[in-house]
């Protein structure tokens, strides 16, 4: 198997310009999601794991939307008119000018192609010293795929599109998966000679097979026996069918790696998610984006984590966390919402109905019930009483609240930012705090209680 080093002179081209008419959607097809990740993101995640240094996405339909959904590291080229797959690849001429390595050509709507198959294709391609290697498979129903025509010696001779095929050719069971590996200088030369005199009036990339053979170059085919890997998404039905297959596979991969996925059919784990050993993922959980979870954690039922990092031994119960990080042995939830850079230290406690946004919690800090903490920095062991609200927004701008170590914020405190509360300070329950509180001080910001003895009896006219 080729090592990452041997894949380091590959570039990847991902065709994603097609419309996807059968999705019946305003959203470009490659942006429909499986496990929180757009289809094209699944392809990119596979390329990332293979450490292929460069990926170029060919965009067309919904180009702006597709571009906006891609990571910045990914280059795009635009195919303004969709004149066929060969024409799509030719749009990368300029981006790849001077590139002399191999180019891996994939489709943005084929999300489950495995790293292993790509490695095996590379192996076949290199040992055959081919100019082009085509991935093939033999599905139960060859449907409208391009047929693989082999010569008398069993060698790849030609690919014929279904619409152009004779009856005899349509009877061939082996088909083109639409994944290719090619020596870029030779392929780009061959593409120049490809015409569009065919049933669809398109420039077909599969015609590169005959063009390269005619120019005296070698071609090869690598056959996979897993039809799911090469399945494309054309309809919403196919989207959910592939999603189910993805879900089974992903759960299996984590189960084998020592992670308990209690309910594989209700759990969604994105392709970039990492989970440590002995972590338990309960039913209905969604783990998306670049979420990284340590060992011995418990992700309680129906939690959703996106781009969130958990250390070891963290417990999350029915909570939603986005762009956040949680330290060792901290407990979150039930029903907490952490977002936009919530950084929670070790052994903290974030309880029910607590929302935390863009805030830092020192080790051992607690907000156990019913609070909004926004744009705040809390030292170690700060205790936020129930109902505390940071008033971080004055209608125009956001302001910070800083609270020193071990301070105690009484229940129902209203902290009007910008505000600084020192260390070991105390705010009385029900206070509205608008002025800074020094270290060790008690701040009271509420009306004094008045007592009217006998008032009720008097009102009811009962003699006292
Ligand atoms: C293609 C192959 C066929 C193969 C099948 C596998 C051709 C001519 N035929 O057929 O042999 O069996 O894939 O799925 O290539 N695209 C562009 N620009 C274009 C046209 C297509 O970017 O101008 C993209 C599409 O978005 C899609 C991919 O290329 O991601 C394949 O195009 P599609 O039209 O689906 O090809 P098929 O007709 O399925
Ligand atoms: Mg087509």
């Amino acid at each position: 198997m080729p090592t990452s080093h041997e894949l380091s002179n590959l570039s990847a081209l991902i065709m994603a310009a097609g419309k996807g008419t059968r999705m019946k959607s305003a959203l470009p097809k490659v942006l429909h999601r499986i496990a929180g990740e757009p289809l094209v993101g699944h392809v990119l995640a596979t390329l990332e794991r293979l450490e292929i240094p460069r990926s170029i996405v060919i965009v067309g339909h919904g180009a702006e939307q597709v571009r906006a959904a891609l990571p910045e590291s990914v280059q795009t080229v635009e195919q303004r008119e969709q004149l066929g797959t060969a024409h799509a690849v030719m749009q990368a001429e300029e981006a790849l000018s001077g590139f002399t390595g191999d180019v891996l050509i994939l489709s943005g709507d084929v999300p489950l192609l495995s790293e292993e198959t790509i490695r095996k294709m590379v192996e076949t391609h290199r040992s055959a010293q081919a100019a082009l290697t085509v991935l093939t498979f033999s599905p139960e129903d060859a449907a409208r795929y391009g047929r693989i025509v082999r010569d008398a010696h069993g060698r790849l001779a030609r690919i014929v599109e279904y619409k152009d095929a004779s009856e005899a050719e349509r009877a061939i069971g082996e088909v083109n998966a639409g994944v290719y590996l090619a020596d870029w200088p030779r392929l780009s030369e061959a593409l120049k000679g490809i015409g569009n005199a065919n049933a669809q009036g398109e420039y077909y990339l599969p015609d590169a097979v005959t063009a390269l053979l005619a120019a005296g170059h070698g071609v090869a085919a690598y056959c996979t026996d897993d039809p799911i890997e090469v399945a494309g998404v054309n309809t919403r039905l196919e989207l959910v069918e592939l999603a189910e297959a993805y879900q089974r596979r992903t759960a299996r991969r984590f189960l084998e790696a020592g992670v308990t996925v209690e309910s594989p059919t209700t759990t969604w784990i994105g392709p970039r998610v990492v989970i440590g050993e002995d972590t338990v993922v309960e039913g209905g959980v969604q783990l998306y984006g670049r979420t990284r979870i340590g060992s011995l954690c418990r992700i309680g039922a129906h939690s959703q984590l996106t781009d969130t990092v958990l250390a070891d031994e963290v417990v999350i119960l029915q909570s939603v966390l986005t762009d956040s990080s949680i330290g060792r042995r901290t407990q979150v939830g039930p029903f907490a919402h952490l977002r936009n850079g919530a950084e929670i230290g070790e052994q903290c406690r974030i309880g029910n109905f607590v929302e935390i946004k863009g805030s830092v919690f020192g080790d051992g800090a607690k907000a156990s019930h019913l609070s909004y903490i926004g744009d705040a920095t809390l030292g170690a062991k700060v205790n936020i009483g129930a109902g505390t609200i940071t008033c971080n927004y004055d209608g125009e701008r956001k302001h910070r609240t800083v609270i020193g170590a071990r301070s105690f914020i009484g229940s129902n405190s209203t902290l009007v930012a910008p505000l600084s509360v020192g260390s070991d300070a105390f705010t009385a329950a029900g206070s509205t705090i608008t002025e800074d509180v020094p270290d060790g001080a008690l701040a009271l910001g509420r009306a004094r209680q008045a007592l009217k003895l006998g008032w009720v009896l008097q009102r009811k006219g009962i003699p006292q």
Side-chain angles (χ1 to χ4, degrees):
M1 280 270 174
T3 61
S4 291
H5 175 70
E6 289 169 82
L7 301 179
S8 67
N9 69 341
L10 282 188
S11 286
L13 276 184
I14 300 154
M15 296 186 285
K19 186 161 183 230
T21 313
R22 285 184 283 156
M23 296 297 283
K24 300 190 179 160
S25 176
L27 188 70
K29 178 163 76 174
V30 294
L31 297 188
H32 283 262
R33 289 170 189 265
I34 289 179
E37 186 73 31
L39 295 175
V40 64
H42 281 266
V43 178
L44 290 167
T46 306
L47 296 170
E48 262 176 47
R49 286 196 294 273
L50 286 166
E51 296 180 46
I52 290 177
R54 189 171 182 203
S55 297
I56 302 170
V57 178
I58 300 159
V59 297
H61 269 282
E64 276 323 302
Q65 246 178 308
V66 176
R67 270 199 193 108
L70 296 173
E72 275 176 26
S73 58
V74 174
Q75 199 181 341
T76 57
V77 296
E78 189 166 346
Q79 184 193 24
R80 285 178 207 283
E81 269 184 294
Q82 283 71 56
L83 303 179
T85 44
H87 179 258
V89 170
M90 285 173 85
Q91 307 311 303
E93 275 298 332
E94 205 180 300
L96 288 174
S97 80
F99 176 68
T100 56
D102 288 326
V103 56
L104 176 64
I105 304 171
L106 309 161
S107 278
D109 58 359
V110 178
L112 304 191
L113 186 67
S114 72
E115 290 147 68
E116 200 197 350
T117 296
I118 294 174
R119 285 185 194 279
K120 285 183 175 159
M121 270 185 84
V122 172
E123 207 173 51
T124 302
H125 183 71
R126 300 215 167 140
S127 65
Q129 296 189 314
L132 173 70
T133 298
V134 180
L135 182 64
T136 74
F137 71 119
S138 300
E140 265 176 42
D141 174 9
R144 304 179 76 81
Y145 285 106
R147 302 302 201 258
I148 298 294
V149 181
R150 291 180 181 264
D151 66 15
H153 305 284
R155 291 178 304 219
L156 174 61
R158 189 162 84 88
I159 301 174
V160 58
E161 289 308 297
Y162 178 82
K163 287 189 183 161
D164 301 289
S166 64
E167 278 308 311
E169 286 164 339
R170 286 182 182 180
I172 296 172
E174 187 184 11
V175 302
N176 172 21
V179 177
Y180 314 83
L181 185 63
D183 171 85
W184 176 247
R186 284 187 273 177
L187 176 68
S188 82
E189 191 55 39
L191 290 177
K192 292 182 187 128
I194 289 176
N196 64 350
N198 52 50
Q200 302 185 82
E202 284 183 14
Y203 297 88
Y204 293 162
L205 181 55
D207 284 355
V209 171
T210 33
L212 285 163
L213 286 172
H217 302 303
V219 295
Y222 174 74
C223 186
T224 169
D225 53 14
D226 177 4
I228 291 295
E229 272 203 51
V230 291
V233 172
N234 294 298
T235 64
R236 291 181 197 249
L237 183 63
E238 288 170 358
L239 180 72
V240 295
E241 282 169 355
L242 269 198
E244 279 173 22
Y246 169 83
Q247 198 176 32
R248 271 195 304 277
R249 266 191 199 196
T250 307
R252 191 192 182 103
R253 175 161 65 83
F254 282 108
L255 290 164
E256 284 171 359
V259 176
T260 298
V261 179
E262 285 188 345
S263 168
T265 56
T266 64
T267 303
W268 295 101
I269 305 176
R272 294 186 170 84
V273 172
V274 176
I275 310 176
E277 270 182 33
D278 273 327
T279 282
V280 176
V281 179
E282 298 179 4
V285 166
Q286 300 171 324
L287 304 174
Y288 291 157
R290 293 186 187 272
T291 291
R292 283 206 324 269
I293 297 173
S295 299
L296 294 159
C297 293
R298 174 180 169 207
I299 315 299
H302 305 292
S303 295
Q304 185 187 77
L305 277 60
T306 306
D307 296 322
T308 287
V309 178
L310 309 190
D312 297 339
E313 299 175 70
V314 170
V315 176
I316 308 285
L317 299 178
Q318 293 221 22
S319 292
V320 176
L321 287 76
T322 304
D323 289 325
S324 297
S325 70
I326 311 290
R328 197 167 156 263
R329 291 200 172 162
T330 283
Q331 197 170 331
V332 176
F335 317 120
H337 184 196
L338 277 62
R339 60 191 178 93
N340 298 48
E343 285 175 40
I344 312 299
E346 297 186 0
Q347 302 195 52
C348 292
R349 171 89 184 87
I350 312 298
N352 346 237
F353 309 108
V354 173
E355 177 179 353
I356 300 174
K357 183 222 118 185
S359 294
V360 178
F361 272 49
D363 294 344
K366 288 189 178 125
S368 298
H369 335 264
L370 301 160
S371 282
Y372 172 62
I373 306 296
D375 302 311
T377 302
L378 277 56
K381 296 195 171 162
V382 164
N383 191 325
I384 301 286
T388 295
I389 305 292
T390 52
C391 307
N392 59 329
Y393 186 50
D394 61 13
E396 284 173 20
R397 284 192 297 145
K398 300 280 171 73
H399 302 281
R400 286 203 80 79
T401 299
V402 178
I403 303 173
R406 298 171 303 280
S407 285
F408 186 97
I409 306 301
S411 293
N412 233 26
S413 288
T414 302
L415 306 174
V416 182
L419 183 74
S420 166
V421 175
S423 310
D424 301 294
F426 202 109
T427 69
S431 293
T432 298
I433 306 293
T434 54
E435 286 166 33
D436 289 354
V437 181
D439 292 351
L442 164 68
L444 284 141
R446 65 187 187 211
R448 215 169 237 295
Q449 177 176 322
L451 264 187
K452 300 197 174 173
L453 298 176
W455 184 89
V456 177
L457 296 175
Q458 207 171 22
R459 195 173 63 153
K460 291 182 177 169
I462 300 169
Q464 295 171 51

